[in-house]
Amino acid sequence: MEEFTAWLNGTVDENTLRRVGMFFGAVLTTLVVAKLIEWFVSVKLKALADKSATALDDVLVETLGRPVYLGVILFGVRYAIELLGVPESAQASIQKALVVVLTMLGAWTMNRLISQVQQRVVMPWVIASESKLDDQIVPIVEKTLRVAVWTFALLICFSNLGVDVVSLLAGLGIGGVAVALAAQDTLANMFGSVTIFTDQPFQVGDLIEVDGHKGVVTEVGLRTCRIRTMAGERVRIPNKDIAAKPVVNHTIDGAWRYEGAVRMTHRASPEQVEQALAALQEIVDGHENTTRAGRVYFRLLGESALELAYVFFVTQPAPHRYRQTLSEINLAIVQRFAKEEWPLAFPGLSLYVEQAVAAAEARRQG
């Protein structure tokens, strides 16, 4: 530091002015060369990449244009500083700073490359794939790679700045035990995500019901699973709960399943029950948004009602389409039952008084 201060306080002579002129000339040359290289990569190489059938060269051109420009400027400025004749101690500090900046530039470039590869190469393949498992894994892999790149870059920077990386990692390992004990829920959720990816009880876009929540799976992360209910609410469920509790998947072959029931009174005749079952089958199969795999059956001969169940599957699933189909089918059922005057049962309480009890009460009062 003293050498650098003495250098700054030195006299300005002809040699110093010549060095300053060479410095600015080198900086100007560096900017021109960097701009020419960026133009060559962004224009010439991009034109060649556009003619090729693969997308990988397009990714490289899109990614490397700006980082190469910045890298050339850094190297040019670094050697331009040498022309000023700064002391060796100052040059050593500048060299360390250059390594740190280049390391961060490399990490930034790698993250740009990861993003471009995902958007231009991986995502088209994921969209074309029939399986939805890759839709869940790709975002997690991307985030993991990004974290790994930045972590490795930081370790290089610390090492270049004189930090004992081995001791640092050892300290982090000891501290990691305490962190792991304090983050048991996080670890449990991560293991739960592994269970989800392994067992595949559902995929993104499926209609599921878990822990009292029914909705469409929008994202499966390392900690939580996000679903959107039919009412539009967003619910985040910890992965450990999903792995430990029953999950009902209402999706079969890309269609969303719904099950409902109609209750008729015991006054309904067997003929009316048969007619009602046929009408339900006609309504369920006749809707334009349902498949032909709908089922209708006499589910329960209860004490207070006769329960007829119906099941249908909504094609091209979407929340608004699902709700609209459900509403239209239920409305058609109500209208048909009202038209045919079939007796519907409603929740209630019926009280029957035996004749003997009534006669005994009458004698007591007489």
Side-chain angles (χ1 to χ4, degrees):
M1 189 64 182
E2 293 180 358
E3 294 180 0
F4 184 70
T5 304
W7 177 77
L8 288 177
N9 294 330
T11 58
V12 178
D13 53 13
E14 182 179 351
N15 186 41
T16 303
L17 293 176
R18 182 174 60 83
R19 288 179 177 274
V20 171
M22 293 174 60
F23 168 79
F24 283 108
V27 171
L28 181 60
T29 303
T30 298
L31 292 175
V32 173
V33 171
K35 202 64 182 177
L36 287 175
I37 292 177
E38 183 185 25
W39 172 82
F40 178 77
V41 173
S42 302
V43 177
K44 293 298 184 179
L45 291 185
K46 187 176 186 303
L48 293 176
D50 291 339
K51 296 179 181 179
S52 66
T54 62
L56 185 58
D57 48 5
D58 298 295
V59 169
L60 292 176
V61 170
E62 291 288 341
T63 304
L64 297 180
R66 179 57 59 170
V68 169
Y69 170 77
L70 296 175
V72 171
I73 290 178
L74 286 175
F75 277 106
V77 172
R78 165 68 182 89
Y79 288 108
I81 292 176
E82 286 189 0
L83 297 176
L84 290 174
V86 297
E88 293 184 0
S89 59
Q91 288 191 22
S93 300
I94 293 172
Q95 183 68 27
K96 290 182 179 180
L98 178 64
V99 172
V100 171
V101 175
L102 285 176
T103 302
M104 302 308 291
L105 178 61
W108 176 64
T109 304
M110 286 299 299
N111 275 271
R112 281 169 56 92
L113 181 61
I114 292 171
S115 178
Q116 287 290 330
V117 169
Q118 183 199 16
Q119 295 176 9
R120 305 283 293 275
V121 179
V122 178
M123 288 310 297
W125 172 75
V126 170
I127 295 173
S129 173
E130 295 182 358
S131 173
K132 294 184 180 180
L133 179 62
D134 44 18
D135 296 339
Q136 305 172 23
I137 295 179
V138 167
I140 295 177
V141 172
E142 182 200 8
K143 293 177 183 178
T144 303
L145 289 177
R146 288 178 181 273
V147 172
V149 167
W150 284 114
T151 301
F152 187 66
L154 289 176
L155 290 177
I156 294 177
C157 292
F158 287 146
S159 177
N160 185 71
L161 295 175
V163 178
D164 189 351
V165 176
V166 176
S167 301
L168 177 63
L169 292 176
L172 291 176
I174 297 174
V177 176
V179 172
L181 293 175
Q184 293 183 10
D185 286 345
T186 300
L187 293 176
N189 288 325
M190 293 180 65
F191 283 114
S193 66
V194 173
T195 302
I196 294 173
F197 294 140
T198 303
D199 295 344
Q200 299 185 42
F202 53 80
Q203 297 178 346
V204 173
D206 284 358
L207 177 64
I208 68 170
E209 187 173 355
V210 56
D211 199 19
H213 301 286
K214 183 178 181 180
V216 184
V217 180
T218 59
E219 181 181 350
V220 180
L222 288 175
R223 295 187 64 255
T224 60
C225 172
R226 300 183 181 182
I227 67 174
R228 176 171 292 182
T229 66
M230 292 297 107
E233 301 169 334
R234 296 180 180 180
V235 182
R236 299 175 63 180
I237 305 175
N239 289 336
K240 65 174 184 178
D241 293 342
I242 296 178
K245 296 181 179 180
V247 177
V248 180
N249 193 337
H250 296 282
T251 305
I252 300 178
D253 295 332
W256 289 353
R257 178 180 181 273
Y258 176 81
E259 181 175 358
V262 178
R263 303 172 75 246
M264 301 179 67
T265 66
H266 283 281
R267 294 195 303 270
S269 65
E271 291 77 12
Q272 289 178 321
V273 173
E274 290 182 0
Q275 294 170 2
L277 288 171
L280 289 174
Q281 190 72 58
E282 178 184 349
I283 292 173
V284 168
D285 291 342
H287 198 280
E288 61 180 357
N289 293 342
T290 63
T291 66
R292 299 297 176 183
R295 298 190 300 273
V296 173
Y297 53 97
F298 188 175
R299 183 165 65 183
L300 178 64
L301 179 61
E303 296 181 356
S304 59
L306 311 176
E307 192 168 286
L308 313 182
Y310 56 94
V311 179
F312 59 85
F313 299 86
V314 180
T315 58
Q316 300 179 1
H320 69 280
R321 186 183 185 94
Y322 184 81
R323 293 193 301 266
Q324 179 182 359
T325 303
L326 174 61
S327 176
E328 291 175 354
I329 288 180
N330 285 338
L331 179 60
I333 292 173
V334 171
Q335 292 174 343
R336 183 63 178 274
F337 271 68
K339 178 182 178 181
E340 302 292 344
E341 296 183 352
W342 293 328
L344 286 172
F346 300 96
L349 177 65
S350 299
L351 180 63
Y352 297 93
V353 181
E354 296 290 342
Q355 269 190 339
V357 176
E361 182 65 20
R363 287 196 299 270
R364 186 181 64 81
Q365 292 180 356

